[in-house]
Amino acid sequence: MSEMANESTGRAQQAGQTAKQEASATVGQAREGASRVAGTATDQVRAVTGEARAQAGAMAGDLRTRVTEEAESQTRRGAQVVRQWADDLSGLADSADADSPARSLVSQAADRGHRAADYLDARGVGGLVDDLQDFARRRPGAFLGTAVVAGFAVGRLAKAGGNGSGHSAPPRPSTQSLSGDAAPQLPGHGEA
């Protein structure tokens, strides 16, 4: 019986060794699989991040293009409006008396308006921005003063535009009747 016991012990040891080797191989395969999954996940994260950056860059470029196109369109419209005002001023100067001092001033304003419209058409918004930056570098005090005055003027125009006519609303008619009777009292606001 002892031989049987030795044989059984040998088989058990051999089975244990085999199980150990298989467990070790399984752990190795699991590590290798986990490493591959981690590598794949890292690659996917990099790919998604790269794609997101590329799309964000494309969107930023598209937005920049749209803003530039809109600014150029607004500049062209502004040049048309300035040109129309200058044409109106020229017509006004032409119809004024020849010896009128106002005619000279209106004529000069019309000429400057035409030059401003031509400048906007030729240089566009990019040229305008470049010239403003150059002026701000050369004369910062004058630039800031002009910006303050322009901001004040725009604020006043916006405020005037908000009221419709730029004046306060006329007073509302009195609730007092024509015969001089007092208006009805609101509840809780009786005479003192």
Side-chain angles (χ1 to χ4, degrees):
M1 251 205 94
S2 109
E3 231 176 89
M4 256 171 94
N6 281 341
E7 230 176 271
S8 290
T9 304
R11 283 186 202 162
Q13 284 177 348
Q14 190 175 15
Q17 283 293 334
T18 303
K20 225 182 201 183
Q21 289 172 348
E22 287 179 12
S24 180
T26 303
V27 168
Q29 288 174 349
R31 283 184 184 153
E32 186 179 315
S35 176
R36 272 190 256 136
V37 167
T40 302
T42 302
D43 291 344
Q44 291 297 322
V45 167
R46 285 184 184 142
V48 168
T49 302
E51 181 67 25
R53 283 184 183 153
Q55 286 182 0
M59 286 174 51
D62 186 42
L63 181 62
R64 191 176 304 119
T65 300
R66 286 182 184 179
V67 167
T68 301
E69 288 172 356
E70 184 62 30
E72 289 295 336
S73 173
Q74 292 295 330
T75 302
R76 283 190 298 276
R77 283 189 210 125
Q80 289 172 348
V81 168
V82 169
R83 184 169 282 111
Q84 181 62 46
W85 288 348
D87 290 343
D88 292 346
L89 287 173
S90 290
L92 189 66
D94 291 342
S95 66
D97 289 337
D99 59 347
S100 172
R103 179 179 182 171
S104 173
L105 292 174
V106 171
S107 181
Q108 287 176 6
D111 182 49
R112 288 183 181 160
H114 282 115
R115 283 189 282 159
D118 292 342
Y119 171 83
L120 287 174
D121 278 340
R123 299 283 314 253
V125 74
L128 184 63
V129 168
D130 290 344
D131 288 347
L132 281 174
Q133 287 174 340
D134 185 47
F135 178 71
R137 268 189 238 105
R138 286 184 292 119
R139 299 186 58 197
F143 176 77
L144 289 175
T146 304
V148 167
V149 170
F152 179 74
V154 168
R156 296 300 293 168
L157 287 173
K159 186 176 179 182
N163 289 342
S165 66
H167 300 291
S168 61
R172 301 190 100 208
S174 173
T175 55
Q176 199 172 22
S177 68
L178 293 175
S179 64
D181 296 338
Q185 296 291 322
L186 295 174
H189 291 88
E191 294 179 19

